[in-house]
Amino acid sequence: MNTKEEQFTAIIQKHERTIYTVCYMFSNNADEVDDLYQEILLRLWKGFDAFEGKSDIRTWIYRVSLNYCINFSNRKKREHERLDLGISTDTDHKMEKNLQVKQLYKRINALGLVDRSVILLWLEGLSYDEIGAILGISVKNVSFKLVRIKELLKKMSNK
């Protein structure tokens, strides 16, 4: 017999990477990411009893994580702090690759919050159906947004 706490712990252990991925899309500061992670865990715990299983647990976790991080980002923007992803490396090859990743994330962070969420979920390998379910938009809208976002990112890289 699993207690509620054991069930919750098992779910979090399984989906920890998902939560951290969302957190890292909204902050480059390790302490801030840890704070975001803890706040998301708190919200997931508070909402755990209300989760009815109408959607996949991963979808629910993404939705809670994204909503919290979007709200955090809006508060942070109002405080005029800049989002920027910092990655430290050891070798030249890793430095070059991480510089490219950093530039990509910088471009992604320049997108609006919904577009940023769409591309984040797509980069995580979610299907259009899953992205639509998480964001509450149609599959067709997801497809349209991804085409537009990819074009925007290409234009930003040509500047």
Side-chain angles (χ1 to χ4, degrees), residues 11 14 44 53 60 68 71 100 104 106 114 124 146 158:
I11 289 168
K14 183 177 179 185
L44 290 170
W60 177 67
Y68 183 78
N71 289 335
Q100 291 171 347
L104 174 63
K106 186 175 181 180
V114 173
E124 278 294 299
L146 277 170
N158 293 331

Side-chain angles (χ1 to χ4, degrees), residues 10-117:
I11 289 168
I12 294 306
Q13 287 173 343
K14 183 177 179 185
H15 298 283
E16 182 178 47
R17 182 177 172 268
T18 297
I19 300 167
Y20 270 115
T21 299
V22 173
C23 293
Y24 274 108
M25 283 298 295
F26 288 86
S27 180
N28 66 334
N29 178 296
D31 290 334
E32 197 169 71
V33 167
D34 287 339
D35 289 345
L36 288 170
Y37 181 81
Q38 291 299 319
E39 287 294 327
I40 291 167
L41 286 184
L42 181 62
R43 278 159 178 70
L44 290 170
W45 175 251
K46 286 180 178 179
F48 191 59
D49 287 334
F51 177 70
E52 298 172 349
K54 291 181 181 176
S55 64
D56 183 64
I57 192 79
R58 184 176 180 206
T59 300
W60 177 67
I61 289 170
Y62 263 119
R63 187 170 277 209
V64 170
S65 300
L66 279 170
N67 284 339
Y68 183 78
C69 287
I70 287 169
N71 289 335
F72 164 80
S73 181
N74 284 336
R75 282 191 310 272
K76 191 173 180 180
K77 194 180 264 185
R78 283 191 298 268
E79 295 169 3
H80 303 288
E81 292 181 18
R82 185 174 165 262
L83 289 175
D84 192 26
L85 182 65
I87 303 170
S88 60
T89 61
D90 297 1
T91 65
D92 288 342
H93 177 69
K94 284 184 180 178
M95 284 178 63
E96 183 178 327
K97 182 174 176 137
N98 285 336
L99 179 59
Q100 291 171 347
V101 170
K102 185 176 178 179
Q103 290 171 342
L104 174 63
Y105 282 124
K106 186 175 181 180
R107 290 181 196 120
I108 289 171
N109 283 331
L111 298 172
L113 293 175
V114 173
D115 288 350
R116 190 182 319 164
S117 299

Side-chain angles (χ1 to χ4, degrees), residues 145-157:
K145 284 184 176 295
L146 277 170
V147 168
R148 189 178 46 76
I149 292 166
K150 289 175 189 177
E151 288 174 6
L152 277 170
L153 292 172
K154 283 180 189 175
K155 286 179 185 175
M156 287 179 191
S157 68

